[in-house]
Amino acid sequence: MLDKTYEAASVEPRIYEAWEQADAFKAGAGAEDGAATYSIVIPPPNVTGSLHMGHALNNTLQDIMVRYQRMRGRDVLWQPGMDHAGIATQMVVERQMAADGGNISRRDLGREAFVERVWKWKGESGGMIFNQLKRLGASCDWSRERFTMDEGLSKAVLEVFVSLYKENLIYKDKRLVNWDPKLLTAISDLEVEQKEMQGNMWHFRYPLADGVTYQHPVAFDEEGKATEFETRDYIVIATTRPETMLGDTAVIVHPDDERFKELQGKDIILPLVGRRIPIIADDYVDLETGTGAMKVTPAHDFNDFDIGKRHDLAQISIMDREANIVLREAEGFMDGLEMTDELTKTLETLEGVERFAARKLIVSMLDEKGLLDEVVDHLNMVPHGDRGGVPIEPMLTDQWYVDAKTMAQPAIASVREGRTKFVPANWDKTYYEWMENIQPWCISRQLWWGHRIPAWYGPDGKFFVEKSEEEALAAAAEFYGKPVKLMEQNDALAAHDAGEADFVAMYRDEDVLDTWFSSALWPFSTMGWPDKTAELARYYPTSVLVTGFDIIFFWVARMMMMGNHYMKTEPFDTVYIHALVRDEKGAKMSKSKGNVIDPLALIEEYGADALRFTLSAMAAQGRDIKLATSRVAGYRNFATKLWNVCRFAEMNECHAVEGFDPALVKQTVNRWIVTETSRAIREVSEAIDTYRFNDAAGGAYRFVWNTFCDWYVELTKPIFYSDDEEAKEEVRATTAWVRDEILKLLHPFMPFITEELWQRTAETAGSKRDEMLVLSSWPTPIGEDEEAAAEINWLIDMIVQIRSVRSEMNVPAGAKVPVVLSGASEQTKERLAIHEAAIIKNARAESVTTADEIPQGSAQIVVGEATVCLPLAGVIDLDAEKARLGKSLDKIVGELTKISKKLENERFLAKAPEDVVAAEKEKVAELAERKEKMEAALERLAALG
């Protein structure tokens, strides 16, 4: 006998262990002979990670598809793995070292010992998220678990780096990067977060060289024409980062700006430095905002870097890697400068000073010289490193780059020509925009944890890129014509400076590769490439990639590039982009807001099935999920409903009958439920196939809760209580068959409770299932009986409509009202005769009759061709009901007017957060629907008299 209640906390771990013991998730498990493959590579979570709501959604959707395809008999592989997460992992271990005491840094420990310590941490504490994914129910083939730093994937990374270098698709260059002055490494755009900060916009006067002056407009008429001018020997520059001015190499003005026409081609003298820099024309300057003139610092701003390239400007980097001002040794800073008293003071005051302290000093020094024009409060978006937590600094450094523009071309064609498609389709526009404007991809990181770059340097800066140290040193020895000796970088440079003549000192590149480099190879490296494995031949290309929109460029696009380049075909047929999971008000979850919802806490309280079903039911394409705990609680109630209906079936001796053919049932109600089951199977299957997870979950929910649990059970109860044994046996067999189809249908969404019921319902019948539900066959539709379906659906519609009118009219629950049908056809009259008892019982009817005329004082609804009348005169107080409904309608109209006016207010729309506006729009839609229903109810009352 099934337990009275379902205890998810005790059942779920037991079920998962049983699946693993049965190898239910192994590649090819349950596959039919000659079956087509279906493969997904998991977006690899960080080795430092723990399950958050984004992971929960992403992996739930993948698991739904994997379980569904496995049950369809496909040869399925869900490939799991983890990313080594360079910065995150290095930070975790360094914090651990600090917590251990002793004040030992990684540099004190040394590179080899530190990396060894990271591996030790990984073995003991890393990868916790895999157990959390199992708690969610993820059915990956864990026997194939991969790690981006394991031997096989490291081999793939080495192969790709060296081959791309030899194809001139990887090169070294000095360019601007996002530099984290705390972590002392370049970071990717994805690791940069913009923070709104209150700051200042400083306006400085840059003196014009050679005594040049010009007439600057200071007053204007109504048409905007200048009416007054003043003579100026300076040009005003506005900046939020005064510390970078020391590296200015030009001032730009718009070519069409009349104010500065005569200054184009002239020079200014850079304050505090004395450098002579040109005033040049460039249409990057906005004519409508600011002072009309911009300083250009190519070594400290990404836009300025591009401007500098266009005009061949010097790139003067005036900061070291810790963002301290360094001038004396800055390449190009002293070129052409006269050592004046001003420059001497600048060097003495600012050399070695931290950037923000230098900012204050520079502002003060310019103020003392009378060059501070004004200071304006300014709300600024300041980029911060998401790990280091400090403002990043655009830094001119030597880094390794991939020629992304060349590699992007086949990847663009893959989508444009339809070989890979995005779902929802609108994301292909984002993909094109990024790919067609792609910049060189910086792949080097100044870290110790990661794939070390296979490049070895000689004393002249020449480097040798090979797959092994032996090959690189052999190539160097041949090039230099003398023996080579490998040393640490500092020792090698010292040996070179000392003039060692009998050997060439060599050192290896200190940097490691960006973690996105190894994850770009994920679809094929995890299957054994560069070796020609059976898995690679069978499962590549993969079927679908499920991921978030924020990494379309960082991961999806790069997998497309690498897959096309090395496998000569796209890595996946479809890219499904899921939405964000937000809080119930639509706000993005963040620790600072305190609105983060922990999926593991929800699993503990409500069970994994309830969380999974909630996420899938809300996963509409292109629409963010507003997650409320109450929704999860609601779907736990759905699980309870499923459990209880199985107990009901068990108590009524509904057991699976061998050889039962649902197509041959005789009872109309049974033919109807078989038809509705077939329709539900078709609806859910088509929705999963087209990535409409919310429609799939919604279709399954409606069928299980409404059609089966509510209506079929209710309509068959009289048969259970009758003396017709033949009818009883058919209902029992049909109930058991539908129950089993439901367990299959719900399994991808709610795997734990369905697997438990699959086993337990057989055991209570004294038998055993041939196989676990996870490896059973997906249900197939049976032929539909349109006539039976129409008859029972007519009956249900009749009862629902009568109940709805009773509710709207506030008819007391205990009051029984006559039901009179006017204009009924012969078919309807026959149906009434058959189902009179069901209508009387379920619609609380006093009687069910037909008439030629509509009785006076009747509320009317139309079901089919007939008008269904409920004579309510004397049953309810018409005046009181009109007053009640009118009052409610007035309240709704008032609220609807108030919110509608707010949404028509441009200021509100401009200033209100996106989630607040969306919530107000939802309220309008809800109120409009309620208003419509209330007006319909009042119309019915008016018709009563």
Side-chain angles (χ1 to χ4, degrees):
M1 184 72 181
L2 287 175
D3 302 328
K4 189 173 182 180
T5 57
Y6 172 68
E7 298 293 340
S10 61
V11 171
E12 291 178 352
R14 171 170 54 77
I15 291 292
Y16 201 92
E17 184 180 358
W19 285 330
E20 290 204 288
Q21 288 178 351
D23 286 335
F25 306 151
K26 288 198 71 126
E32 296 173 357
D33 291 340
T37 59
Y38 186 88
S39 56
I40 295 181
V41 288
I42 198 171
N46 287 349
V47 66
T48 58
S50 60
L51 193 72
H52 58 61
M53 202 54 79
H55 289 133
L57 172 64
N58 182 284
N59 286 279
T60 292
L61 299 183
Q62 289 177 83
D63 196 47
I64 288 169
M65 291 189 291
V66 163
R67 289 178 182 270
Y68 166 68
Q69 297 291 353
R70 192 183 286 125
M71 292 176 76
R72 289 182 65 199
R74 301 279 290 273
D75 179 353
V76 174
L77 166 63
W78 187 9
Q79 173 65 55
M82 274 187 302
D83 191 277
H84 62 278
I87 292 177
T89 306
Q90 187 159 307
M91 285 182 67
V92 165
V93 176
E94 288 189 280
R95 278 198 297 263
Q96 188 183 68
M97 288 165 59
D100 290 346
N103 200 30
I104 296 176
S105 71
R106 64 183 168 101
R107 298 196 178 276
D108 296 327
L109 204 58
R111 184 173 193 139
E112 189 175 331
F114 177 76
V115 170
E116 187 178 320
R117 178 152 184 167
V118 178
W119 276 111
K120 183 173 181 288
W121 172 86
K122 191 261 179 186
E124 294 172 353
S125 307
M128 173 180 63
I129 193 169
F130 274 176
N131 288 328
Q132 295 170 340
L133 286 172
K134 291 179 180 182
R135 189 71 185 86
L136 183 70
S139 60
C140 301
D141 182 353
W142 299 109
S143 69
R144 294 185 48 80
E145 177 188 325
R146 302 307 299 268
F147 180 55
T148 48
M149 288 280 287
D150 69 27
E151 185 178 347
L153 269 64
S154 295
K155 179 181 177 182
V157 167
L158 191 62
E159 174 72 29
V160 168
F161 186 94
V162 174
S163 61
L164 288 180
Y165 172 75
K166 292 183 184 295
E167 293 174 53
N168 296 318
L169 292 171
I170 281 182
Y171 58 92
K172 200 164 189 184
D173 195 10
K174 185 185 286 290
R175 295 177 61 91
L176 278 191
V177 295
N178 296 311
W179 185 263
D180 190 315
K182 182 177 180 181
L183 301 178
L184 304 181
T185 181
I187 59 176
S188 73
D189 289 343
L190 192 64
E191 293 158 324
V192 175
E193 55 185 13
Q194 300 291 337
K195 294 185 179 180
E196 192 173 68
M197 300 184 72
Q198 185 61 55
N200 295 313
M201 179 75 78
W202 287 273
H203 292 238
F204 297 129
R205 298 179 177 185
Y206 279 23
L208 294 166
D210 306 320
V212 170
T213 61
Y214 72 107
Q215 298 302 303
H216 190 84
V218 293
F220 303 87
D221 61 19
E222 292 179 355
E223 295 179 357
K225 294 182 179 179
T227 56
E228 293 182 31
F229 299 84
E230 68 176 16
T231 301
R232 288 186 177 180
D233 60 358
Y234 61 86
I235 194 166
V236 176
I237 301 295
T239 180
T240 59
R241 301 169 66 217
E243 64 276 12
T244 65
M245 66 162 290
L246 302 170
D248 288 357
T249 55
V251 167
I252 58 171
V253 295
H254 196 282
D256 299 331
D257 195 330
E258 294 297 330
R259 292 173 295 178
F260 306 116
K261 277 279 188 185
E262 62 188 78
L263 295 182
Q264 294 177 25
K266 308 294 186 184
D267 293 338
I268 63 104
I269 303 299
L270 185 63
L272 307 184
V273 176
R275 181 182 306 118
R276 194 180 182 100
I277 62 177
I279 300 171
I280 54 184
D282 193 292
D283 59 10
Y284 178 79
V285 182
D286 190 338
L287 275 170
E288 306 299 324
T289 61
T291 67
M294 274 181 53
K295 64 196 263 333
V296 182
T297 321
H300 289 280
D301 182 275
F302 288 101
N303 293 317
D304 290 10
F305 181 82
D306 292 335
I307 294 167
K309 286 283 188 184
R310 285 200 294 274
H311 297 283
D312 197 25
L313 300 176
Q315 302 168 342
I316 302 174
S317 181
I318 50 89
M319 292 184 201
D320 65 14
R321 294 193 168 199
E322 293 178 334
N324 299 315
I325 302 297
V326 286
L327 301 177
R328 288 187 174 89
E329 296 180 7
E331 184 178 347
F333 180 80
M334 298 297 293
D335 291 356
L337 292 182
E338 182 184 344
M339 187 55 72
T340 61
D341 291 343
E342 179 183 51
L343 179 57
T344 300
K345 182 181 178 182
T346 297
L347 294 172
E348 291 174 349
T349 305
L350 298 176
E351 187 71 30
V353 175
E354 186 273 334
R355 56 180 166 164
F356 296 123
R359 175 182 294 181
K360 293 179 181 178
L361 288 170
I362 287 169
V363 172
S364 176
M365 292 165 75
L366 289 170
D367 193 17
E368 286 176 14
K369 288 180 169 293
L371 299 178
L372 178 59
D373 196 71
E374 67 172 325
V375 183
V376 179
D377 289 340
H378 183 71
L379 197 62
N380 203 19
M381 296 304 291
V382 180
H384 284 64
D386 66 347
R387 302 286 182 183
V390 302
I392 65 106
E393 192 66 43
M395 188 74 72
L396 193 63
T397 60
D398 287 310
Q399 302 285 350
W400 289 91
Y401 290 89
V402 170
D403 179 0
K405 189 172 185 64
T406 298
M407 295 195 69
Q409 300 315 306
I412 293 170
S414 294
V415 177
R416 201 173 293 285
E417 295 169 13
R419 292 187 296 277
T420 294
K421 57 184 178 296
F422 281 87
V423 178
N426 60 290
W427 284 111
D428 61 5
K429 296 181 181 66
T430 302
Y431 177 79
Y432 294 140
E433 184 178 339
W434 279 335
M435 295 291 272
E436 289 167 355
N437 295 283
I438 199 166
Q439 296 296 308
W441 171 18
C442 176
I443 56 172
S444 44
R445 298 291 181 266
Q446 290 63 54
L447 303 170
W448 285 359
W449 174 241
H451 296 101
R452 194 167 177 181
I453 289 173
W456 287 262
Y457 294 79
D460 54 359
K462 180 172 176 56
F463 50 81
F464 302 84
V465 174
E466 300 292 347
K467 293 180 186 176
S468 69
E469 179 182 302
E470 292 75 19
E471 290 174 283
L473 296 184
E478 182 180 353
F479 176 81
Y480 290 113
K482 63 169 65 175
V484 296
K485 186 175 181 181
L486 189 63
M487 298 180 170
E488 291 297 319
Q489 182 173 344
N490 290 337
D491 295 337
L493 294 174
H496 172 65
D497 292 341
E500 300 285 355
D502 57 339
F503 65 89
V504 175
M506 303 283 294
Y507 63 92
R508 185 171 180 178
D509 199 309
E510 288 281 309
D511 292 352
V512 300
L513 286 165
D514 174 18
T515 53
W516 293 107
F517 189 87
S518 51
S519 59
L521 318 180
W522 195 248
F524 53 92
S525 65
T526 52
M527 296 182 194
W529 188 91
D531 296 335
K532 294 182 178 179
T533 64
E535 293 91 339
L536 190 62
R538 182 146 188 78
Y539 296 110
Y540 185 94
T542 63
S543 305
V544 62
L545 178 77
V546 180
T547 190
F549 68 89
D550 53 335
I551 56 173
I552 291 175
F553 178 68
F554 290 95
W555 191 42
V556 179
R558 289 167 182 176
M559 285 190 287
M560 291 285 284
M561 291 182 204
M562 294 297 189
N564 273 298
H565 192 78
Y566 285 99
M567 302 300 296
K568 308 306 177 189
T569 187
E570 297 73 23
F572 18 74
D573 295 327
T574 302
V575 180
Y576 174 79
I577 303 295
H578 63 72
L580 286 176
V581 185
R582 298 177 177 268
D583 72 9
E584 60 184 306
K585 295 179 181 176
K588 193 172 181 179
M589 293 185 196
S590 71
K591 290 179 181 177
S592 59
K593 289 181 182 176
N595 64 343
V596 173
I597 303 173
D598 181 2
L600 293 168
L602 292 179
I603 289 171
E604 287 300 318
E605 185 170 0
Y606 302 107
D609 288 326
L611 175 61
R612 288 169 61 108
F613 204 89
T614 304
L615 293 172
S616 53
M618 300 180 76
Q621 288 183 12
R623 189 185 309 160
D624 287 347
I625 293 172
K626 295 180 182 179
L627 184 63
T629 304
S630 60
R631 292 294 296 267
V632 186
Y635 287 117
R636 180 187 59 183
N637 295 343
F638 178 52
T640 300
K641 184 87 169 178
L642 176 65
W643 186 265
N644 287 342
V645 81
C646 289
R647 289 187 79 242
F648 170 83
E650 183 182 67
M651 287 186 289
N652 284 281
E653 301 177 23
C654 302
H655 306 308
V657 175
E658 189 174 351
F660 173 73
D661 185 350
L664 300 179
V665 293
K666 298 175 182 176
Q667 297 284 325
T668 303
V669 71
N670 292 332
R671 298 202 307 276
W672 163 74
I673 196 63
V674 168
T675 297
E676 292 300 327
T677 303
S678 295
R679 289 173 176 174
I681 292 166
R682 189 174 290 110
E683 179 184 3
V684 173
S685 301
E686 288 175 355
I688 296 176
D689 285 336
T690 52
Y691 308 100
R692 293 179 293 109
F693 298 101
N694 62 313
D695 290 337
Y701 180 92
R702 287 188 299 274
F703 171 69
V704 174
W705 190 298
N706 300 333
T707 306
F708 182 67
C709 294
D710 284 355
W711 288 109
Y712 181 71
V713 168
E714 196 60 42
L715 294 174
T716 54
K717 278 180 181 177
I719 299 175
F720 280 122
Y721 304 144
S722 74
D723 295 328
D724 188 338
E725 291 302 320
E726 184 180 351
K728 279 185 190 177
E729 286 308 310
E730 185 180 278
V731 167
R732 285 175 178 146
T734 304
T735 300
W737 175 81
V738 176
R739 176 204 62 204
D740 286 357
E741 298 299 278
I742 282 173
L743 295 180
K744 294 174 186 176
L745 203 62
L746 286 177
H747 181 73
F749 306 91
M750 308 178 82
F752 292 104
I753 190 172
T754 52
E755 187 72 74
E756 175 75 350
L757 285 168
W758 182 257
Q759 303 299 336
R760 294 285 299 278
T761 50
E763 290 167 8
T764 55
S767 61
K768 188 171 174 38
R769 301 282 188 181
D770 293 335
E771 58 194 353
M772 301 182 83
L773 178 58
V774 66
L775 296 177
S776 67
S777 295
W778 183 252
T780 53
I782 308 297
E784 297 182 13
D785 187 326
E786 298 287 350
E787 188 177 331
E791 181 176 326
I792 300 299
N793 286 328
W794 169 88
L795 171 63
I796 292 170
D797 190 28
M798 171 80 71
I799 294 167
V800 168
Q801 294 275 26
I802 293 170
R803 285 176 176 177
S804 177
V805 171
R806 288 178 60 104
S807 175
E808 286 176 4
M809 300 292 104
N810 209 25
V811 175
K816 292 191 174 182
V817 180
V819 173
V820 181
L821 270 71
S822 174
S825 66
E826 288 303 316
Q827 183 187 55
T828 296
K829 289 176 181 177
E830 289 174 10
R831 288 173 175 176
L832 284 175
I834 295 169
H835 299 292
E836 180 182 8
I839 296 171
I840 288 173
K841 177 179 180 293
N842 291 289
R844 293 183 179 274
E846 182 180 80
S847 59
V848 180
T849 58
T850 59
D852 295 330
E853 301 291 334
I854 295 174
Q856 285 192 342
S858 294
Q860 302 166 34
I861 48 176
V862 176
V863 177
E865 84 295 339
T867 301
V868 181
C869 309
L870 275 66
L872 296 179
V875 179
I876 59 173
D877 185 330
L878 296 180
D879 292 335
E881 278 308 300
K882 286 177 184 177
R884 181 182 69 82
L885 290 173
K887 190 174 180 181
S888 296
L889 181 60
D890 289 343
K891 187 176 179 181
I892 290 170
V893 169
E895 185 67 15
L896 189 57
T897 303
K898 178 181 173 184
I899 298 174
S900 296
K901 282 184 178 178
K902 188 189 290 187
L903 289 172
E904 290 167 4
N905 187 325
E906 294 296 334
R907 292 181 63 189
F908 169 76
L909 294 174
K911 291 186 176 182
E914 184 182 334
D915 54 287
V916 172
V917 174
E920 294 295 282
K921 287 180 178 178
E922 283 186 15
K923 281 183 193 173
V924 166
E926 181 188 335
L927 287 167
E929 186 179 348
R930 286 171 58 195
K931 175 174 173 283
E932 189 177 335
K933 287 182 178 179
M934 203 71 70
E935 288 170 340
L938 277 167
E939 284 178 16
R940 287 199 184 98
L941 277 174
L944 296 180

